[in-house]
Amino acid sequence: LFKNLNEEQIDRTVRELEQQIFAAGEIVMQQDDPARHFYLIQRGTVVVRKDGKVLRTLGRWDYFGERGLLLKERRSATCQALDECICLVLDADEFFEIVGHFRDELERRMQLQDLNLNISDLQCKAVVGR
């Protein structure tokens, strides 16, 4: 995520990140709550649920919370720590100061997440290595 930042931008990001510890089962953010923070998982596992349905599981160095901040929307899903979880957190103001450098990349990743594809939607174009 931060690979395109220069050294000064990385240093600033590291200085602004605050470590928060979430206990197993603790809700990190609730669906429909206002978006106020960006989260980067340093340790642990977080489950993402929308309307009670599990969408995905996130682990070390995965991130979440960018959608609500970027789109100025309420939280689209609930994120809950499955085990003790340490997250590095940026508040919205700091997130926007830093994200300007890679906003396009974040928006592209959000569009990929929004694709509702199934394996049956895919077509074989070529076979390599037979």
Side-chain angles (χ1 to χ4, degrees):
L1 175 64
F2 300 106
K3 67 184 175 195
N4 295 321
L5 298 180
N6 64 38
E7 189 172 333
E8 180 183 327
Q9 293 163 331
I10 291 171
D11 287 344
R12 178 173 180 198
T13 302
V14 168
R15 282 192 309 272
E16 297 301 333
L17 289 166
E18 291 187 26
Q19 193 177 73
Q20 289 187 8
I21 299 172
F22 298 93
E26 187 174 352
I27 300 294
V28 179
M29 62 184 204
Q30 186 74 42
Q31 185 175 342
D32 294 322
D33 280 354
R36 295 192 177 105
H37 297 93
F38 168 83
Y39 300 86
L40 176 66
I41 302 170
Q42 184 177 20
R43 187 180 80 208
T45 309
V46 171
V47 63
V48 181
R49 291 186 181 94
K50 184 170 185 160
D51 301 323
K53 179 183 174 190
V54 174
L55 299 179
R56 65 184 60 88
T57 302
L58 305 172
R60 183 174 171 88
W61 303 127
D62 286 330
Y63 59 89
F64 58 97
E66 76 285 0
R67 172 183 291 280
L69 294 174
L70 286 170
L71 302 178
K72 297 180 177 25
E73 295 177 345
R74 298 181 84 72
R75 294 299 187 193
S76 62
T78 295
C79 295
Q80 181 179 23
L82 287 180
D83 45 20
E84 183 180 82
C85 191
I86 299 174
C87 290
L88 302 174
V89 182
L90 282 174
D91 70 26
D93 292 336
E94 290 303 325
F95 175 79
F96 282 114
E97 284 289 321
I98 295 164
V99 80
H101 304 288
F102 53 90
R103 185 178 187 135
D104 291 343
E105 175 68 10
L106 283 173
E107 289 176 351
R108 186 185 69 78
R109 289 180 184 200
M110 285 189 317
Q111 288 174 343
L112 290 173
Q113 289 175 353
D114 288 344
L115 296 176
N116 192 15
L117 293 176
N118 294 311
I119 195 73
S120 61
D121 295 326
L122 303 176
Q123 295 177 347
C124 180
K125 291 290 187 181
V127 178
V128 179
R130 280 206 178 170

